[in-house]
Amino acid sequence: VSCWGRNNYGQLGDGTTTQHSTPTQTSSLGTDRTAVAISVGGSQTCAILDDGSVSCWGRNNYGQLGDGTTTGRNTPTQTGTTRTAVAITVGTYHTCAILDDGSVSCWGSNWAGQLGDGTTTQRTTPTQTSSLGTGRTAALDSNYLPGGTSQTACAAGTYNANTGSTTSSDCLD
């Protein structure tokens, strides 16, 4: 991952708080790990890694990095996700991920209930949202899943270009 711009909270992940006007490589994501998706907020960055785990860095005053603390990090730090993440988004002071079973976990500030767990309690680790409704799960993008069609999940680091595929043999590197 390469990041650039403001870095006052370590949100570029290069081990410093020095601003960069050109792309700068982050510190290690872990041995043999690569990013497959990334989301950037004003003060933190999170990436889904090729094994489906999540790593975040930057400001952490509300636990928005999901590592169980409120300590800021200027290098990538693993969150406490227990399932494979397939999509991620970073808010101002919170983060949410869609997991491989279609459920959603969020962490960080929750003063207005933005974590969706039915409380206004701040969470420093990924916390399952309340039910999305009987028989409902989160869809990655309804443009790719017309009519709510389900699709067999691929292994982390692979993808399936065939909408509505029900076989993992369609997964590509």
Side-chain angles (χ1 to χ4, degrees):
V1 173
S2 288
C3 296
W4 55 96
R6 190 172 182 180
N7 195 28
N8 55 323
Y9 297 109
Q11 61 265 46
L12 300 185
D14 67 346
T16 74
T17 54
T18 304
Q19 180 173 301
H20 295 281
S21 59
T22 58
T24 302
Q25 190 78 32
T26 63
S27 297
S28 175
L29 296 171
T31 304
D32 297 326
R33 295 280 65 99
T34 59
V36 297
I38 192 167
S39 183
V40 179
S43 60
Q44 80 265 21
T45 304
C46 291
I48 298 175
L49 305 184
D50 58 344
D51 64 354
S53 65
V54 174
S55 190
C56 298
W57 54 95
R59 192 172 190 185
N60 196 26
N61 55 326
Y62 294 102
Q64 61 265 41
L65 301 185
D67 67 352
T69 74
T70 55
T71 303
R73 311 286 181 182
N74 60 15
T75 59
T77 303
Q78 288 282 311
T79 66
T81 53
T82 57
R83 294 198 63 95
T84 299
V86 296
I88 194 158
T89 188
V90 171
T92 303
Y93 297 116
H94 69 288
T95 304
C96 292
I98 298 175
L99 305 177
D100 60 346
D101 63 352
S103 66
V104 177
S105 282
C106 298
W107 54 95
S109 176
N110 197 23
W111 66 271
Q114 59 267 45
L115 301 186
D117 66 353
T119 75
T120 55
T121 303
Q122 171 180 308
R123 308 291 182 179
T124 60
T125 58
T127 302
Q128 197 79 33
T129 61
S130 297
S131 173
L132 300 175
T134 304
R136 293 182 178 264
T137 59
L140 291 178
D141 187 335
S142 61
N143 292 327
Y144 296 106
L145 301 175
T149 304
S150 64
Q151 184 160 323
T152 299
C154 292
T158 65
Y159 70 97
N160 190 333
N162 299 319
T163 302
S165 174
T166 57
T167 176
S168 62
S169 64
D170 290 333
C171 296
L172 306 170
D173 289 329

